[in-house]
Amino acid sequence: MGRNLQSGDRLRPVDLARGHGLSTQAIRNYEEAGILPASGRTPHGYRTYTSLHAGALRAFLALLPGHGHRTATAVMRAVNQGSADGAFRLIDESHAQLLDDRRTLQAVENALRDLEPTAASGTDAGSGPATASGTGAGTGPATASTPGGTFIGPLAGKLGIRPATLRKWERAGLMRPRRDPRTGYRVYDEADVRDARLAHQLRRGGYLLEQIAPLIAQVRAAGGLEPMEAALCDWRSRLSVRGRAMLTGAAELDAYLRERSRTAQGPQPDPPLGEPGGGPAEHGLPGPATEASSTA
């Protein structure tokens, strides 16, 4: 079924909405938000749109999956205000964020890979009685009060860091050791030791604590390292989908920018007669002056 046009190139809100499964109110909202250029008006005050508005709508909807609603809106608003450079900067920021997400994913995969040999060997810092050459102030005794747990001193020694570093990581939410009911010392169970090792690997990779905390939370939510593998595959897939969506959005935005340029230039005047595209002379036919001279 063809588009129902009011007349010529004029489109109604329903004409724009129909092809994308949108409501006419959504079209009006997009115009008010600056996503679409300002509409024209009929003598009776009804909105009218053109192919330029249709291109803006296609560009916005294509930008949404890769950049999100806020950035896609800001990009379209910048373009419609004549600030293409501002729109390009916003797009660059989205690409930079995607690259950062890919680097974070790679860092997590590397950290998990580094943990696998230790997990396979069964020599976790929390397995069996923990020992240390000395207890030191605030590090707890050399053995944990419950099987499978370890105190802060032995764990810090195993990782090659100071106990104060583990306490700092705890305050940042990277691990949640329980307290021994008799002594009040921190006791790190198997999951805490895993999180400490993962945090240690990521810190060595240069990641900040505030960047590590959500990654540790993902490991906990997944239920450990093995389920995390499936989560990482899903994460990687979503990044690829987002990258492909950015390409699609870029293509539609480029088409819209080209349409805006053509519209701004306006219709080009016909060249004079006798020039290419200018009349009978282009096809080797005699013009009026030639005809007059031939009959004189």
Side-chain angles (χ1 to χ4, degrees):
M1 181 176 180
R3 267 189 324 199
N4 182 18
L5 306 186
Q6 281 185 297
S7 64
D9 293 330
R10 292 192 301 173
L11 304 173
R12 302 169 301 174
V14 67
D15 296 322
L16 289 183
R18 183 183 294 136
H20 301 284
L22 300 172
S23 67
T24 55
Q25 184 58 51
I27 299 300
R28 290 190 287 268
N29 291 343
Y30 288 163
E31 180 186 346
E32 292 172 2
I35 294 169
L36 304 181
S39 64
R41 294 280 180 166
T42 68
H44 298 288
Y46 294 110
R47 286 179 170 87
T48 61
Y49 299 102
T50 66
S51 61
L52 182 67
H53 297 87
L57 181 59
R58 287 193 299 270
F60 172 69
L61 295 177
L63 288 169
L64 278 177
H67 299 273
H69 192 280
R70 177 179 298 181
T71 298
T73 298
V75 167
M76 296 305 298
R77 187 180 293 127
V79 169
N80 292 328
Q81 292 173 349
S83 178
D85 284 343
F88 298 153
R89 179 182 58 80
L90 292 167
I91 291 173
D92 289 344
E93 289 175 355
S94 281
H95 281 282
Q97 181 61 57
L98 178 61
L99 178 59
D100 186 60
D101 290 345
R102 288 190 181 280
R103 288 171 173 165
T104 300
L105 172 62
Q106 186 64 54
V108 173
E109 289 176 332
N110 291 341
L112 294 179
R113 193 177 302 115
D114 290 340
L115 293 181
E116 287 176 357
T118 301
S121 67
T123 58
D124 201 325
S127 60
T131 59
S133 57
T135 58
T139 62
T143 59
S145 61
T146 56
T150 185
F151 288 109
I152 192 170
L155 178 57
K158 185 75 174 180
L159 296 177
I161 59 178
R162 298 171 56 190
T165 300
L166 286 174
R167 288 191 285 268
K168 182 178 180 180
W169 291 357
E170 180 185 348
R171 290 192 297 271
L174 304 189
M175 58 204 66
R176 298 173 295 192
R178 69 182 188 277
R179 293 281 183 166
D180 184 280
R182 293 179 301 163
T183 66
Y185 290 127
R186 294 172 174 84
V187 179
Y188 297 83
D189 61 18
E190 183 178 351
D192 293 319
V193 173
R194 175 203 67 206
D195 295 344
R197 283 207 166 99
L198 181 57
H200 187 224
Q201 293 293 340
L202 292 171
R203 285 293 290 145
R204 290 173 62 185
Y207 284 84
L208 303 177
L209 295 183
E210 54 266 30
Q211 295 173 310
I212 297 174
L215 302 178
I216 298 291
Q218 289 184 26
V219 173
R220 292 181 190 141
L225 297 180
E226 290 185 6
M228 190 63 184
E229 291 294 334
L232 291 177
C233 289
D234 179 65
W235 186 2
R236 190 182 308 108
S237 176
R238 285 186 284 111
L239 290 180
S240 296
V241 169
R242 185 180 172 198
R244 182 69 176 268
M246 285 182 170
L247 291 178
T248 302
E252 289 292 349
L253 181 62
D254 180 65
Y256 176 56
L257 289 170
R258 293 175 183 273
E259 179 70 13
R260 281 180 60 87
S261 297
R262 287 192 295 268
T263 302
Q265 291 173 1
Q268 298 300 308
D270 292 333
L273 292 174
E275 294 186 7
E282 177 187 0
H283 306 286
L285 299 178
T290 306
E291 294 175 348
S293 61
S294 64
T295 58

